[in-house]
C-alpha cells in the first residue's frame, strides 16, 4: 500500500510540473536588440493613463485591468507568433503572460517593464 501511495504522489508531482510551463523572461536591453532586427509581436498591457506617459513604438495595447482583457488580447494577437508582453514594471505582464499561456500562446515577459525601458532609451 505504501508503494502505491508513493507512486501516486510521484506521478502527481510530475504531472503538475509538466502542466505549469515556465514563462520565458527577457530584459529591456534584449527587447531593444530584438526590435532592431525583427518585427516581433509586442503587447503593452498598461492602462490608457499609463500609455499617455509614453510607449514603445511598435506595441499593440490591451489594458490588463479591463474585464474583457483576455478577449481583447486574443483578438489582437496572432497565435502562431511569440508574444512579448510589457507593462509598467513587469508584474502585470507576468500575470498577463500566465493568462495567455493558458490560452495556448508562446509568451515572453519583459522584466522591468516600461519603467526600465524609459531609463535605458
Amino acid at each position: 500500500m505504501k508503494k502505491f501511495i508513493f507512486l501516486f504522489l510521484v506521478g502527481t508531482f510530475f504531472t503538475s510540473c509538466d502542466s505549469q510551463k515556465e514563462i520565458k523572461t527577457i530584459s529591456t536591453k534584449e527587447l531593444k536588440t530584438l526590435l532592431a532586427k525583427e518585427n516581433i509581436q509586442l503587447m503593452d498591457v498598461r492602462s490608457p493613463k499609463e500609455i499617455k506617459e509614453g510607449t514603445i513604438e511598435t506595441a499593440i495595447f490591451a489594458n490588463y485591468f479591463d474585464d474583457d482583457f483576455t478577449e481583447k488580447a486574443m483578438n489582437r494577437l496572432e497565435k502562431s507568433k511569440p508574444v512579448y508582453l510589457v507593462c509598467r514594471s513587469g508584474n502585470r505582464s507576468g500575470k498577463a503572460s500566465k493568462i495567455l499561456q493558458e490560452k495556448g500562446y508562446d509568451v515572453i515577459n519583459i522584466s522591468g517593464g516600461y519603467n526600465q525601458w524609459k531609463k535605458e532609451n
Side-chain angles (χ1 to χ4, degrees), residues 32-107:
K32 187 173 183 175
T33 301
L34 279 172
L35 287 170
K37 59 183 181 179
E38 294 179 43
N39 184 17
I40 65 169
Q41 189 169 226
L42 174 64
M43 175 164 271
D44 189 330
V45 297
R46 294 179 298 152
S47 70
K49 184 180 174 185
E50 292 169 313
I51 298 295
K52 287 181 184 174
E53 297 170 7
T55 62
I56 299 173
E57 193 173 316
T58 59
I60 51 178
F61 305 97
N63 183 0
Y64 175 77
F65 294 121
D66 283 346
D67 291 337
D68 57 350
F69 164 74
T70 304
E71 184 180 337
K72 284 181 180 174
M74 291 176 64
N75 285 337
R76 295 179 180 141
L77 296 169
E78 290 181 46
K79 213 169 196 174
S80 61
K81 292 179 168 182
V83 179
Y84 294 81
L85 290 165
V86 66
C87 65
R88 187 173 57 85
S89 65
N91 184 38
R92 223 175 316 162
S93 58
K95 293 174 184 174
S97 294
K98 289 179 184 172
I99 291 170
L100 292 174
Q101 187 182 55
E102 288 175 7
K103 297 294 181 186
Y105 289 88
D106 179 18
V107 294

Coordinates of all heavy atoms in Angstrom, one line a residue, residues 32-107:
K32 N 15.2 45.6 -26.9 CA 15.7 46.6 -27.9 C 16.5 45.9 -29.0 O 16.3 46.3 -30.2 CB 16.6 47.6 -27.1 CG 17.0 48.7 -28.0 CD 17.7 49.8 -27.3 CE 18.0 51.0 -28.2 NZ 18.6 52.1 -27.5
T33 N 17.3 45.0 -28.7 CA 18.0 44.2 -29.8 C 17.1 43.5 -30.7 O 17.2 43.6 -31.9 CB 19.0 43.2 -29.1 OG1 19.9 43.9 -28.3 CG2 19.8 42.5 -30.2
L34 N 16.1 42.9 -30.2 CA 15.1 42.2 -31.0 C 14.3 43.1 -31.9 O 14.1 42.9 -33.1 CB 14.1 41.4 -30.1 CG 14.5 40.1 -29.6 CD1 13.5 39.6 -28.5 CD2 14.6 39.1 -30.7
L35 N 13.9 44.3 -31.3 CA 13.1 45.2 -32.1 C 13.9 45.8 -33.2 O 13.4 46.2 -34.3 CB 12.6 46.4 -31.2 CG 11.5 46.0 -30.2 CD1 11.3 47.1 -29.2 CD2 10.2 45.7 -31.0
A36 N 15.2 45.9 -33.1 CA 16.1 46.4 -34.1 C 16.2 45.5 -35.3 O 16.5 46.0 -36.4 CB 17.5 46.7 -33.5
K37 N 16.1 44.2 -35.1 CA 16.3 43.3 -36.2 C 15.1 42.5 -36.6 O 15.1 41.8 -37.7 CB 17.5 42.4 -35.9 CG 17.4 41.5 -34.7 CD 18.6 40.7 -34.5 CE 18.5 39.9 -33.2 NZ 19.7 39.1 -33.0
E38 N 14.0 42.5 -35.8 CA 12.8 41.6 -36.2 C 11.5 42.4 -36.0 O 11.5 43.4 -35.2 CB 12.7 40.4 -35.2 CG 13.8 39.4 -35.4 CD 13.7 38.3 -34.4 OE1 12.6 37.8 -34.3 OE2 14.7 37.9 -33.9
N39 N 10.5 42.0 -36.7 CA 9.2 42.5 -36.5 C 8.4 41.6 -35.5 O 7.7 40.7 -35.9 CB 8.4 42.6 -37.8 CG 7.1 43.2 -37.7 OD1 6.8 43.9 -36.7 ND2 6.2 43.0 -38.6
I40 N 8.6 41.9 -34.2 CA 8.0 41.0 -33.2 C 6.6 41.5 -32.8 O 6.3 42.6 -33.0 CB 8.9 40.9 -31.9 CG1 9.0 42.3 -31.2 CG2 10.3 40.4 -32.3 CD1 9.7 42.2 -29.8
Q41 N 5.9 40.5 -32.2 CA 4.6 40.8 -31.7 C 4.7 41.3 -30.2 O 4.9 40.5 -29.3 CB 3.7 39.6 -31.8 CG 2.3 39.7 -31.6 CD 1.5 38.5 -32.0 OE1 0.5 38.7 -32.6 NE2 1.9 37.3 -31.6
L42 N 4.6 42.6 -30.0 CA 4.8 43.2 -28.7 C 3.5 43.7 -28.2 O 2.9 44.6 -28.9 CB 5.8 44.3 -28.7 CG 6.1 45.1 -27.5 CD1 6.6 44.2 -26.3 CD2 7.0 46.3 -27.8
M43 N 3.0 43.3 -27.0 CA 1.8 43.8 -26.4 C 2.1 44.5 -25.1 O 2.7 44.0 -24.2 CB 0.8 42.7 -26.2 CG -0.5 43.2 -25.5 SD -1.9 42.0 -25.6 CE -2.6 42.6 -27.1
D44 N 1.6 45.7 -25.0 CA 1.7 46.6 -23.8 C 0.3 46.4 -23.1 O -0.7 46.7 -23.6 CB 1.9 48.0 -24.2 CG 2.3 48.9 -23.1 OD1 1.8 48.6 -21.9 OD2 3.0 49.9 -23.3
V45 N 0.4 46.0 -21.8 CA -0.9 45.7 -21.0 C -1.1 46.8 -20.0 O -1.9 46.6 -19.1 CB -0.8 44.3 -20.4 CG1 -0.8 43.2 -21.5 CG2 0.3 44.2 -19.4
R46 N -0.5 48.0 -20.2 CA -0.7 49.1 -19.2 C -2.1 49.7 -19.5 O -2.7 49.5 -20.5 CB 0.4 50.1 -19.3 CG 1.8 49.6 -18.9 CD 2.8 50.6 -19.1 NE 3.0 51.0 -20.5 CZ 3.4 52.2 -20.9 NH1 3.7 53.1 -20.1 NH2 3.5 52.4 -22.2
S47 N -2.5 50.6 -18.5 CA -3.7 51.3 -18.6 C -3.6 52.5 -19.6 O -2.5 52.9 -19.9 CB -4.2 51.8 -17.2 OG -3.3 52.9 -16.9
P48 N -4.7 53.0 -20.1 CA -4.6 54.1 -21.0 C -3.9 55.3 -20.4 O -3.2 56.0 -21.1 CB -6.1 54.5 -21.3 CG -6.8 53.2 -21.2 CD -6.1 52.5 -20.0
K49 N -4.1 55.6 -19.1 CA -3.4 56.7 -18.4 C -1.9 56.5 -18.5 O -1.2 57.4 -18.7 CB -3.9 56.8 -17.0 CG -3.3 57.9 -16.2 CD -3.8 57.9 -14.8 CE -3.1 59.0 -14.0 NZ -3.5 59.0 -12.6
E50 N -1.5 55.2 -18.3 CA 0.0 55.0 -18.3 C 0.5 55.1 -19.8 O 1.7 55.5 -20.0 CB 0.3 53.5 -17.8 CG 0.0 53.4 -16.3 CD 0.0 52.0 -15.9 OE1 -0.6 51.1 -16.5 OE2 0.6 51.7 -14.8
I51 N -0.3 54.7 -20.7 CA 0.1 54.8 -22.1 C 0.4 56.2 -22.5 O 1.3 56.5 -23.3 CB -1.0 54.2 -23.1 CG1 -1.2 52.7 -22.7 CG2 -0.6 54.4 -24.5 CD1 -0.1 51.8 -23.0
K52 N -0.3 57.2 -21.9 CA -0.1 58.6 -22.3 C 1.3 59.1 -21.9 O 1.8 60.0 -22.4 CB -1.2 59.5 -21.6 CG -2.5 59.3 -22.2 CD -3.5 60.2 -21.6 CE -4.9 60.0 -22.2 NZ -6.0 60.7 -21.5
E53 N 1.9 58.3 -20.9 CA 3.3 58.7 -20.5 C 4.4 58.3 -21.5 O 5.5 58.7 -21.3 CB 3.6 58.0 -19.1 CG 2.6 58.5 -18.0 CD 2.8 57.7 -16.7 OE1 3.6 56.8 -16.6 OE2 1.9 57.9 -15.8
G54 N 4.0 57.5 -22.4 CA 4.9 57.1 -23.4 C 4.7 55.6 -23.8 O 4.1 54.9 -23.0
T55 N 5.2 55.2 -25.0 CA 5.0 53.9 -25.4 C 6.3 53.4 -26.2 O 7.2 54.2 -26.5 CB 3.9 53.8 -26.4 OG1 4.2 54.6 -27.6 CG2 2.6 54.2 -25.8
I56 N 6.3 52.1 -26.4 CA 7.4 51.5 -27.2 C 6.7 51.5 -28.6 O 5.6 51.0 -28.8 CB 7.7 50.1 -26.8 CG1 8.3 50.2 -25.3 CG2 8.7 49.5 -27.7 CD1 8.6 48.8 -24.7
E57 N 7.4 52.0 -29.6 CA 6.9 52.3 -30.9 C 6.0 51.3 -31.5 O 4.9 51.6 -32.0 CB 8.0 52.7 -31.9 CG 7.5 53.3 -33.1 CD 8.7 53.8 -34.0 OE1 9.6 54.4 -33.4 OE2 8.7 53.5 -35.2
T58 N 6.3 50.0 -31.6 CA 5.5 49.1 -32.3 C 4.5 48.3 -31.5 O 3.9 47.4 -32.0 CB 6.5 48.0 -33.0 OG1 7.2 47.4 -32.0 CG2 7.4 48.7 -34.0
A59 N 4.4 48.7 -30.2 CA 3.5 47.9 -29.3 C 2.0 48.0 -29.7 O 1.6 49.1 -30.2 CB 3.7 48.4 -27.9
I60 N 1.3 47.0 -29.5 CA -0.2 47.0 -29.5 C -0.7 46.9 -28.1 O 0.0 46.5 -27.2 CB -0.7 45.8 -30.4 CG1 -0.2 44.5 -29.9 CG2 -0.5 46.0 -31.8 CD1 -0.7 43.3 -30.7
F61 N -1.9 47.4 -27.9 CA -2.3 47.6 -26.5 C -3.6 46.8 -26.1 O -4.5 46.6 -26.9 CB -2.6 49.1 -26.3 CG -1.5 49.9 -26.6 CD1 -1.4 50.6 -27.8 CD2 -0.4 50.1 -25.7 CE1 -0.3 51.3 -28.2 CE2 0.7 50.8 -26.0 CZ 0.8 51.5 -27.3
A62 N -3.6 46.3 -24.9 CA -4.8 45.7 -24.2 C -4.6 46.0 -22.8 O -3.6 45.5 -22.2 CB -4.9 44.3 -24.6
N63 N -5.5 46.7 -22.1 CA -5.4 47.0 -20.7 C -5.7 45.8 -19.9 O -6.8 45.2 -19.9 CB -6.5 48.1 -20.4 CG -6.4 48.6 -19.0 OD1 -5.6 48.1 -18.2 ND2 -7.3 49.6 -18.7
Y64 N -4.7 45.4 -19.1 CA -4.9 44.2 -18.2 C -6.0 44.3 -17.3 O -6.7 43.3 -16.9 CB -3.6 44.0 -17.5 CG -3.6 42.9 -16.5 CD1 -3.6 41.5 -16.9 CD2 -3.8 43.1 -15.1 CE1 -3.6 40.5 -16.0 CE2 -3.9 42.1 -14.2 CZ -3.8 40.8 -14.7 OH -3.9 39.7 -13.8
F65 N -6.3 45.6 -16.8 CA -7.4 45.8 -15.9 C -8.8 45.7 -16.5 O -9.8 45.7 -15.8 CB -7.2 47.1 -15.1 CG -6.0 47.1 -14.2 CD1 -5.0 48.0 -14.4 CD2 -5.8 46.1 -13.3 CE1 -3.8 48.0 -13.6 CE2 -4.7 46.1 -12.5 CZ -3.7 47.0 -12.7
D66 N -8.9 45.7 -17.8 CA -10.3 45.6 -18.4 C -10.9 44.2 -18.1 O -10.1 43.2 -18.1 CB -10.2 45.8 -19.9 CG -10.0 47.2 -20.3 OD1 -10.2 48.1 -19.5 OD2 -9.7 47.5 -21.5
D67 N -12.2 44.2 -17.9 CA -12.8 42.9 -17.6 C -12.7 41.9 -18.8 O -12.6 40.7 -18.5 CB -14.3 43.1 -17.3 CG -14.5 43.8 -16.0 OD1 -13.6 43.8 -15.1 OD2 -15.6 44.5 -15.8
D68 N -12.6 42.4 -20.0 CA -12.5 41.6 -21.2 C -11.1 41.6 -21.7 O -10.9 41.4 -22.9 CB -13.5 42.0 -22.2 CG -13.3 43.5 -22.6 OD1 -12.6 44.2 -22.0 OD2 -14.0 43.9 -23.6
F69 N -10.1 41.7 -20.8 CA -8.7 41.7 -21.3 C -8.3 40.5 -22.2 O -7.8 40.7 -23.2 CB -7.7 41.8 -20.1 CG -6.3 41.4 -20.5 CD1 -5.5 42.3 -21.1 CD2 -5.8 40.1 -20.2 CE1 -4.2 42.0 -21.6 CE2 -4.5 39.8 -20.6 CZ -3.7 40.7 -21.3
T70 N -8.7 39.4 -21.7 CA -8.3 38.2 -22.4 C -8.8 38.2 -23.9 O -8.1 37.9 -24.8 CB -8.7 36.9 -21.7 OG1 -8.2 36.9 -20.4 CG2 -8.2 35.6 -22.4
E71 N -10.1 38.5 -24.0 CA -10.8 38.5 -25.3 C -10.1 39.6 -26.2 O -9.8 39.3 -27.4 CB -12.2 38.8 -25.1 CG -13.0 38.8 -26.4 CD -14.5 39.1 -26.2 OE1 -15.0 38.9 -25.1 OE2 -15.1 39.5 -27.2
K72 N -9.9 40.8 -25.6 CA -9.3 41.9 -26.4 C -7.9 41.5 -26.9 O -7.5 41.7 -28.0 CB -9.2 43.2 -25.6 CG -10.5 43.9 -25.5 CD -10.4 45.2 -24.7 CE -11.7 45.9 -24.6 NZ -11.6 47.1 -23.7
A73 N -7.1 40.9 -26.0 CA -5.7 40.5 -26.3 C -5.7 39.4 -27.4 O -5.0 39.5 -28.4 CB -5.0 40.0 -25.1
M74 N -6.6 38.5 -27.2 CA -6.6 37.4 -28.2 C -7.1 37.9 -29.6 O -6.6 37.3 -30.6 CB -7.6 36.2 -27.7 CG -7.0 35.5 -26.5 SD -8.0 34.3 -25.8 CE -8.2 33.1 -27.2
N75 N -7.9 38.9 -29.6 CA -8.4 39.5 -30.9 C -7.3 40.2 -31.6 O -7.3 40.4 -32.9 CB -9.6 40.4 -30.7 CG -10.8 39.7 -30.4 OD1 -11.0 38.5 -30.8 ND2 -11.8 40.3 -29.8
R76 N -6.3 40.7 -30.9 CA -5.2 41.5 -31.5 C -3.9 40.7 -31.7 O -3.0 41.2 -32.3 CB -4.9 42.7 -30.5 CG -6.1 43.6 -30.5 CD -5.8 44.8 -29.5 NE -7.0 45.6 -29.5 CZ -7.5 46.2 -28.4 NH1 -6.9 46.0 -27.3 NH2 -8.6 46.9 -28.5
L77 N -3.9 39.5 -31.3 CA -2.6 38.7 -31.4 C -2.7 37.5 -32.3 O -3.8 36.9 -32.5 CB -2.2 38.2 -30.0 CG -1.9 39.2 -28.9 CD1 -1.8 38.5 -27.5 CD2 -0.6 39.9 -29.2
E78 N -1.6 37.2 -33.0 CA -1.5 36.0 -33.8 C -1.0 34.9 -32.9 O 0.1 35.1 -32.3 CB -0.5 36.3 -35.0 CG -1.1 37.2 -36.0 CD -0.1 37.4 -37.2 OE1 0.4 36.3 -37.6 OE2 0.2 38.5 -37.5
K79 N -1.7 33.8 -32.9 CA -1.3 32.7 -32.1 C 0.0 32.0 -32.6 O 0.7 31.3 -31.8 CB -2.5 31.7 -31.9 CG -2.5 31.0 -30.6 CD -3.8 30.3 -30.5 CE -4.0 29.9 -29.0 NZ -5.3 29.3 -28.7
S80 N 0.2 32.2 -33.9 CA 1.4 31.5 -34.5 C 2.7 32.1 -34.2 O 3.7 31.5 -34.5 CB 1.1 31.4 -36.0 OG 1.1 32.7 -36.5
K81 N 2.7 33.3 -33.6 CA 3.9 34.1 -33.3 C 4.1 34.2 -31.8 O 3.1 34.4 -31.1 CB 3.9 35.5 -33.9 CG 3.9 35.5 -35.4 CD 3.8 37.0 -35.8 CE 4.1 37.2 -37.2 NZ 4.1 38.7 -37.6
P82 N 5.3 34.3 -31.3 CA 5.6 34.5 -29.9 C 5.0 35.9 -29.6 O 5.0 36.8 -30.4 CB 7.1 34.5 -29.8 CG 7.6 33.8 -31.0 CD 6.6 34.0 -32.1
V83 N 4.6 36.1 -28.3 CA 4.0 37.3 -27.8 C 4.9 37.9 -26.7 O 5.2 37.2 -25.7 CB 2.6 37.2 -27.3 CG1 2.1 38.5 -26.7 CG2 1.7 36.5 -28.3
Y84 N 5.5 39.1 -26.9 CA 6.3 39.7 -25.9 C 5.4 40.7 -25.2 O 4.7 41.5 -25.8 CB 7.4 40.5 -26.6 CG 8.4 39.6 -27.3 CD1 8.2 39.0 -28.5 CD2 9.6 39.2 -26.6 CE1 9.0 38.2 -29.1 CE2 10.5 38.3 -27.2 CZ 10.2 37.8 -28.5 OH 11.1 36.9 -29.1
L85 N 5.3 40.5 -23.8 CA 4.4 41.3 -23.0 C 5.2 42.3 -22.1 O 6.2 42.0 -21.5 CB 3.6 40.4 -22.1 CG 2.6 39.6 -22.9 CD1 2.0 38.5 -22.0 CD2 1.4 40.5 -23.3
V86 N 4.7 43.6 -22.1 CA 5.3 44.6 -21.3 C 4.2 45.3 -20.5 O 3.1 45.5 -21.0 CB 6.2 45.6 -22.2 CG1 5.3 46.4 -23.1 CG2 7.0 46.5 -21.3
C87 N 4.5 45.8 -19.3 CA 3.6 46.6 -18.5 C 4.5 47.7 -17.9 O 5.5 48.1 -18.5 CB 2.9 45.8 -17.5 SG 4.0 45.1 -16.2
R88 N 4.1 48.3 -16.8 CA 4.9 49.3 -16.2 C 6.2 48.8 -15.6 O 7.2 49.4 -15.8 CB 4.0 50.0 -15.1 CG 4.7 51.3 -14.5 CD 3.7 52.0 -13.6 NE 3.2 51.2 -12.5 CZ 3.9 51.0 -11.4 NH1 5.0 51.6 -11.1 NH2 3.4 50.2 -10.4
S89 N 6.1 47.7 -14.8 CA 7.3 47.2 -14.1 C 7.6 45.8 -14.3 O 8.7 45.3 -13.9 CB 7.2 47.5 -12.6 OG 6.1 46.7 -12.1
G90 N 6.7 45.0 -14.9 CA 7.0 43.6 -15.2 C 6.0 42.7 -14.4 O 5.9 41.5 -14.7
N91 N 5.3 43.2 -13.4 CA 4.5 42.4 -12.6 C 3.2 42.0 -13.3 O 2.8 40.8 -13.4 CB 4.1 43.1 -11.3 CG 3.3 42.2 -10.3 OD1 3.5 41.0 -10.3 ND2 2.4 42.9 -9.7
R92 N 2.5 43.0 -13.8 CA 1.2 42.8 -14.5 C 1.4 42.0 -15.8 O 0.6 41.1 -16.1 CB 0.6 44.2 -14.9 CG -0.8 44.3 -14.7 CD -1.2 45.7 -15.0 NE -0.3 46.7 -14.5 CZ -0.3 48.0 -14.9 NH1 -1.1 48.4 -15.9 NH2 0.6 48.9 -14.4
S93 N 2.5 42.3 -16.5 CA 2.7 41.5 -17.7 C 3.0 40.0 -17.4 O 2.7 39.1 -18.2 CB 3.9 42.1 -18.6 OG 5.1 42.2 -17.8
G94 N 3.6 39.8 -16.2 CA 3.8 38.4 -15.8 C 2.5 37.7 -15.6 O 2.3 36.5 -16.0
K95 N 1.5 38.4 -15.0 CA 0.2 37.8 -14.8 C -0.5 37.6 -16.1 O -1.2 36.6 -16.4 CB -0.7 38.7 -13.9 CG -0.2 38.8 -12.5 CD -1.0 39.8 -11.7 CE -0.4 39.9 -10.3 NZ -1.0 41.0 -9.5
A96 N -0.4 38.6 -17.0 CA -1.0 38.5 -18.4 C -0.3 37.4 -19.1 O -1.0 36.6 -19.9 CB -0.8 39.8 -19.1
S97 N 0.9 37.1 -18.9 CA 1.7 36.0 -19.6 C 1.0 34.7 -19.2 O 0.8 33.8 -20.1 CB 3.1 36.0 -19.2 OG 3.8 37.2 -19.6
K98 N 0.7 34.5 -17.9 CA 0.1 33.3 -17.5 C -1.2 33.0 -18.1 O -1.6 31.9 -18.6 CB 0.0 33.2 -16.0 CG 1.3 33.1 -15.3 CD 1.2 33.1 -13.8 CE 2.6 33.1 -13.1 NZ 2.5 33.3 -11.7
I99 N -2.0 34.1 -18.2 CA -3.4 34.0 -18.8 C -3.2 33.6 -20.3 O -3.9 32.7 -20.8 CB -4.1 35.4 -18.7 CG1 -4.5 35.7 -17.3 CG2 -5.4 35.4 -19.6 CD1 -5.0 37.1 -17.0
L100 N -2.3 34.3 -21.0 CA -2.2 34.0 -22.5 C -1.5 32.6 -22.7 O -1.9 31.9 -23.7 CB -1.5 35.1 -23.2 CG -2.2 36.4 -23.2 CD1 -1.4 37.5 -23.8 CD2 -3.5 36.3 -24.0
Q101 N -0.6 32.2 -21.8 CA 0.0 30.9 -22.0 C -1.1 29.8 -21.8 O -1.1 28.8 -22.6 CB 1.1 30.7 -20.9 CG 1.9 29.5 -21.1 CD 2.9 29.3 -20.0 OE1 2.6 29.3 -18.8 NE2 4.1 29.1 -20.4
E102 N -2.0 30.0 -20.9 CA -3.1 29.0 -20.7 C -4.0 29.0 -21.9 O -4.6 28.0 -22.2 CB -3.9 29.4 -19.5 CG -3.2 29.1 -18.2 CD -4.0 29.6 -17.0 OE1 -5.1 30.1 -17.1 OE2 -3.4 29.6 -15.9
K103 N -4.0 30.1 -22.7 CA -4.8 30.1 -24.0 C -4.0 29.5 -25.1 O -4.5 29.6 -26.3 CB -5.3 31.5 -24.3 CG -6.2 32.1 -23.2 CD -7.5 31.3 -23.2 CE -8.5 31.9 -22.1 NZ -9.7 31.1 -22.0
G104 N -2.8 29.1 -24.9 CA -2.0 28.5 -26.0 C -1.0 29.4 -26.7 O -0.4 28.9 -27.7
Y105 N -0.8 30.6 -26.1 CA 0.2 31.5 -26.8 C 1.6 31.2 -26.2 O 1.8 30.8 -25.1 CB -0.1 32.9 -26.5 CG -1.3 33.4 -27.2 CD1 -2.6 33.2 -26.7 CD2 -1.2 34.0 -28.5 CE1 -3.7 33.7 -27.4 CE2 -2.3 34.5 -29.2 CZ -3.6 34.3 -28.6 OH -4.7 34.7 -29.3
D106 N 2.6 31.4 -27.0 CA 4.0 31.3 -26.6 C 4.4 32.7 -26.2 O 4.5 33.6 -27.0 CB 4.9 30.9 -27.8 CG 6.4 30.8 -27.5 OD1 6.7 30.7 -26.3 OD2 7.2 30.8 -28.4
V107 N 4.5 32.9 -24.8 CA 4.7 34.2 -24.3 C 6.1 34.5 -23.7 O 6.7 33.5 -23.2 CB 3.6 34.6 -23.2 CG1 2.3 34.6 -23.8 CG2 3.7 33.6 -22.1

